[in-house]
């Protein structure tokens, strides 16, 4: 029988001015004590016997020991003074009683290995105090949480806590120098991204302070007219694991983000939470904003000092109108950064296990748009597309697929020429339909594929392989007509 998973809200709870209760005195209680030690005013341990490590804590005056079996009436008197309580005994009846009383008095309680009785669970913790990283799977798999903790431990510098304490000491005078929160935020971002942070990590506080003061002086010089800029960033085909490191960094530093319907929700979740999000997506026959208005919005925001992230599916310079936007911005004197992304052609083909080139059948690859004119016609150079020995990748061709296939046959390719249509390549709901120029339009209609799709035409489709994606659950199973 399957049960609905519990829902948890990760929070950071202040406990330095409150006491905590630990019911139990064995090895499991020791593990919970290690979490509480140094994080609350006093630890109250209620147990019949004490593990030596708990006894040592009591001798050091960091814990109070109450010996004996937990009595329900006595527990009712103690609980209201506690910030939280752990029930860590090997007696299920005692654990259930502690949980019941805690719930009644609205005191947060964790019963070890019994999430159904608990109002909170403890995460796997990476401690670089005052920096702490909590990792939880919502109780689904503590082993997985520990594995993630190992990965995070390897990523974070051992002396990160020292750098954090240095930054904390500078907050007062920095607020006096730069009253504007946005200015201070930019200074800290520049600090963390540059050599000043490395100096703080190394414990070289004088050098770190000198470089921080230089950043502040630069920010004061821009106080009246802060310099905004626009970042044209490729979000890739949809799988968030395929974002570039540069894209992730800018996504965390942007003040606002303009995004379209090709940016997957999982990718948008990587944008920092307090950035303003503006949807400017375009769908067939429905434009949320005309292109000129999108460019005007980027200009408006950059001129008032914002760092504007223009997040585009795939790559901004491959059918993303990034070139037009760059020219408009530069002509207006707005600085522009461009971060490429994995193109839809590369990403969708790879996700579907289709090589774009192959020495046996495709010595070149042509990328075109299948977007039709207003009158429904396609203005493509058909003789150069309908050739053997190459792969043709077609963007935005779903609505024109029947005409695309017909034109390619009219210009020399056989009806049996292989075609693949990839829907939401690299994403969890990816689908791939394979067929031929003579059948694919009907195959896709019958399968009910919707935009966005990518069309791959050529003998490379015959070389399609079953590939394992970077994220478990991302499937490339074949759906041939």
């Amino acid at each position: 029988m399957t049960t609905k998973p519990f829902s948890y809200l990760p929070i950071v709870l202040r406990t330095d001015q409150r006491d905590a209760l630990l019911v139990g005195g064995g090895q499991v209680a020791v593990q919970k004590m290690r979490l509480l030690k140094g994080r609350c005013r006093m630890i109250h341990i209620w147990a019949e016997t004490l593990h030596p490590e708990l006894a040592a804590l009591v001798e050091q005056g960091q814990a109070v020991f109450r010996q004996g079996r937990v009595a329900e009436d006595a527990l009712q008197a103690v609980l209201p003074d506690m910030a939280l309580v752990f029930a860590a005994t090997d007696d299920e009846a005692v654990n259930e009683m502690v949980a019941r009383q805690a719930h009644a008095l609205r005191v947060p309680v964790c019963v070890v290995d019994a999430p159904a009785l608990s109002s909170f669970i403890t995460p796997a913790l990476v401690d670089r105090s005052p920096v702490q990283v909590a990792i939880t799977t919502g109780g689904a798999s503590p082993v997985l949480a520990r594995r993630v903790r190992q990965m995070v431990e390897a990523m974070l510098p051992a002396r990160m806590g020292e750098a954090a304490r240095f930054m904390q000491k500078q907050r007062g005078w920095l607020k006096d120098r730069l009253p504007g929160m946005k200015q201070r935020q930019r200074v800290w971002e520049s600090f963390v991204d540059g050599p000043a942070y490395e100096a703080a990590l190394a414990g070289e506080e004088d050098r770190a302070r000198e470089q921080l003061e230089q950043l502040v002086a630069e920010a004061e010089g821009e106080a009246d007219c802060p310099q905004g800029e626009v970042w044209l960033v490729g979000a890739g085909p949809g799988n968030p694991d395929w974002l570039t490191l540069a894209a992730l960094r800018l996504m965390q530093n942007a003040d606002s983000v303009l995004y379209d319907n090709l940016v997957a929700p999982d990718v948008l979740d990587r944008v920092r939470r307090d950035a303003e999000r503006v949807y400017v997506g375009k769908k067939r026959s429905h434009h949320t904003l005309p292109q000129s208005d999108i460019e005007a919005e980027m200009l408006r925001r950059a001129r008032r000092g914002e760092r504007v992230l223009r997040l585009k599916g795939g790559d901004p310079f491959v059918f993303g109108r990034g070139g037009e936007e760059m020219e408009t911005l530069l002509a207006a004197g707005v600085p522009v950064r461009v971060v490429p992304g994995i193109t839809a052609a590369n990403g969708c083909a790879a996700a579907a296990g289709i090589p774009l080139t192959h020495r046996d059948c495709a010595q070149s690859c042509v990328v075109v748009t299948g977007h039709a004119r207003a009158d429904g016609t396609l203005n493509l150079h058909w003789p150069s597309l309908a050739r053997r020995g190459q792969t043709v990748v077609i963007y935005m061709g779903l609505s024109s697929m029947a005409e695309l296939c017909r034109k390619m046959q009219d210009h020399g390719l056989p009806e049996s020429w292989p075609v693949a249509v990839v829907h939401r390549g690299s994403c969890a709901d990816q689908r791939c339909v394979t067929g031929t120029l003579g059948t694919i339009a009907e195959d896709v209609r019958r399968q009910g594929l919707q935009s966005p799709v990518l069309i791959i035409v050529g003998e490379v489709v015959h070389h399609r392989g079953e590939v394992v994606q970077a994220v478990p659950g991302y499937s490339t199973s074949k759906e041939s007509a």
Side-chain angles (χ1 to χ4, degrees), residues 9-237:
L9 174 66
I11 61 172
V12 180
L13 182 66
R14 182 177 176 181
T15 56
D16 62 310
Q17 297 179 341
R18 301 283 306 280
D19 293 0
L21 175 62
L22 179 57
V23 180
Q27 182 61 49
V28 176
V30 169
Q31 296 172 13
K32 301 308 175 186
M33 177 274 293
R34 291 170 183 166
L35 282 175
L36 294 171
K37 185 179 177 182
R39 293 186 171 91
C40 57
R41 183 173 58 187
M42 181 61 67
I43 303 172
H44 296 255
I45 306 173
W46 198 336
E48 296 187 48
T49 59
L50 277 186
H51 185 282
E53 192 170 335
L54 295 175
L57 195 73
V58 173
E59 290 177 7
Q60 295 163 9
Q62 299 183 57
V64 174
F65 177 40
R66 179 163 185 163
Q67 189 171 20
R69 185 174 177 83
V70 179
E72 192 164 351
D73 54 348
L75 182 66
Q76 290 177 348
V78 171
L79 276 176
D81 296 326
M82 300 298 155
L84 53 86
V85 56
F86 282 102
T89 77
D90 56 6
D91 188 327
E92 291 186 5
V94 171
N95 289 344
E96 290 177 5
M97 184 269 289
V98 172
R100 184 174 63 254
Q101 293 295 331
H103 288 307
L105 294 169
R106 299 186 183 278
V107 176
V109 59
C110 174
V111 179
V112 178
D113 289 334
L117 297 176
S118 305
S119 58
F120 75 93
I121 56 176
T122 53
L125 191 65
V126 178
D127 193 354
R128 301 287 190 273
S129 294
V131 178
Q132 299 180 81
V133 180
I135 300 150
T136 177
T137 61
S141 175
V143 171
L144 178 59
R146 289 199 297 271
R147 290 293 181 269
V148 175
R149 176 190 170 189
Q150 290 175 5
M151 291 186 279
V152 176
E153 286 275 16
M155 293 170 57
L156 300 186
R159 302 182 68 173
M160 177 178 277
E162 293 185 33
R165 283 189 288 273
F166 169 82
M167 295 172 71
Q168 186 175 36
K169 287 191 293 185
Q170 315 308 315
R171 293 183 64 180
W173 77 265
L174 183 59
K175 187 173 183 179
D176 292 338
R177 289 277 296 271
L178 297 175
M181 184 176 66
K182 185 171 289 188
Q183 273 189 306
R184 295 196 303 275
Q185 188 175 58
R186 290 196 182 186
V187 165
W188 282 128
E189 287 168 354
S190 297
F191 177 90
V192 171
D193 290 338
Y197 177 67
E198 297 299 327
L201 278 178
E204 300 173 3
E205 292 198 2
D206 291 343
R207 186 161 67 92
R209 173 63 182 247
E210 180 181 336
Q211 293 179 351
L212 178 59
E213 288 178 346
Q214 183 176 343
L215 292 172
V216 171
E218 292 171 0
E220 287 176 327
E222 297 177 351
D224 295 332
C225 186
Q227 177 64 69
E229 56 184 284
V230 174
W231 305 331
L232 303 178
V233 175

Side-chain angles (χ1 to χ4, degrees), residues 97-407:
M97 184 269 289
V98 172
R100 184 174 63 254
Q101 293 295 331
H103 288 307
L105 294 169
R106 299 186 183 278
V107 176
V109 59
C110 174
V111 179
V112 178
D113 289 334
L117 297 176
S118 305
S119 58
F120 75 93
I121 56 176
T122 53
L125 191 65
V126 178
D127 193 354
R128 301 287 190 273
S129 294
V131 178
Q132 299 180 81
V133 180
I135 300 150
T136 177
T137 61
S141 175
V143 171
L144 178 59
R146 289 199 297 271
R147 290 293 181 269
V148 175
R149 176 190 170 189
Q150 290 175 5
M151 291 186 279
V152 176
E153 286 275 16
M155 293 170 57
L156 300 186
R159 302 182 68 173
M160 177 178 277
E162 293 185 33
R165 283 189 288 273
F166 169 82
M167 295 172 71
Q168 186 175 36
K169 287 191 293 185
Q170 315 308 315
R171 293 183 64 180
W173 77 265
L174 183 59
K175 187 173 183 179
D176 292 338
R177 289 277 296 271
L178 297 175
M181 184 176 66
K182 185 171 289 188
Q183 273 189 306
R184 295 196 303 275
Q185 188 175 58
R186 290 196 182 186
V187 165
W188 282 128
E189 287 168 354
S190 297
F191 177 90
V192 171
D193 290 338
Y197 177 67
E198 297 299 327
L201 278 178
E204 300 173 3
E205 292 198 2
D206 291 343
R207 186 161 67 92
R209 173 63 182 247
E210 180 181 336
Q211 293 179 351
L212 178 59
E213 288 178 346
Q214 183 176 343
L215 292 172
V216 171
E218 292 171 0
E220 287 176 327
E222 297 177 351
D224 295 332
C225 186
Q227 177 64 69
E229 56 184 284
V230 174
W231 305 331
L232 303 178
V233 175
N239 185 331
D241 279 358
W242 292 7
L243 286 164
T244 66
L245 294 176
L248 281 169
R249 183 172 63 82
L250 295 181
M251 289 165 70
Q252 284 297 307
N253 287 345
D255 298 312
S256 58
V257 53
L258 278 61
Y259 67 99
D260 56 45
N261 63 297
L262 294 179
V263 176
D266 286 347
V267 170
L268 198 61
D269 284 345
R270 269 56 175 183
V271 174
R272 91 181 199 201
R273 291 182 183 176
D274 58 340
E276 183 180 358
R277 301 181 182 188
V278 183
Y279 177 71
V280 294
K282 302 183 183 72
K283 297 180 181 178
R284 179 172 168 79
S285 304
H286 178 75
H287 286 203
T288 299
L289 281 180
Q291 183 62 30
S292 59
D293 288 357
I294 294 174
E295 293 167 3
E297 181 67 10
M298 287 190 289
L299 282 172
R300 183 182 70 82
R301 290 176 175 273
R303 283 170 173 161
R304 70 183 189 190
E306 291 186 25
R307 294 162 302 176
V308 183
L309 175 69
R310 178 69 170 105
L311 194 60
K312 295 171 174 285
D315 182 278
F317 280 4
V318 180
F319 299 124
R321 304 191 77 166
E324 300 170 41
E325 294 175 356
M326 179 184 67
E327 290 171 348
T328 299
L329 293 163
L330 292 178
V334 173
V336 178
R337 295 193 212 183
V338 180
V339 175
I342 295 177
T343 66
N346 288 114
C348 294
I354 300 173
L356 291 178
T357 61
H358 195 291
R359 70 177 182 173
D360 291 341
C361 62
Q363 290 74 49
S364 63
C365 179
V366 180
V367 181
V368 298
T369 174
H371 187 63
R373 291 179 171 182
D375 61 5
T377 60
L378 287 170
N379 184 25
L380 298 174
H381 192 264
W382 299 108
S384 66
L385 298 181
R387 289 179 178 175
R388 298 174 184 270
Q390 71 178 8
T391 304
V392 179
V393 179
I394 304 166
Y395 285 61
M396 298 171 282
L398 182 62
S399 62
S400 305
M401 186 176 298
E403 184 180 358
L404 285 163
C405 295
R406 185 172 61 253
K407 289 286 189 181

Side-chain angles (χ1 to χ4, degrees), residues 381-440:
H381 192 264
W382 299 108
S384 66
L385 298 181
R387 289 179 178 175
R388 298 174 184 270
Q390 71 178 8
T391 304
V392 179
V393 179
I394 304 166
Y395 285 61
M396 298 171 282
L398 182 62
S399 62
S400 305
M401 186 176 298
E403 184 180 358
L404 285 163
C405 295
R406 185 172 61 253
K407 289 286 189 181
M408 286 191 158
Q409 292 176 72
D410 290 345
H411 287 80
L413 289 179
E415 181 181 349
S416 60
W417 199 247
V419 183
V421 179
V422 185
H423 167 73
R424 289 183 55 79
S426 84
C427 296
D429 56 349
Q430 170 184 306
R431 297 175 65 191
C432 181
V433 176
T434 57
T436 69
L437 287 176
T439 66
I440 194 65

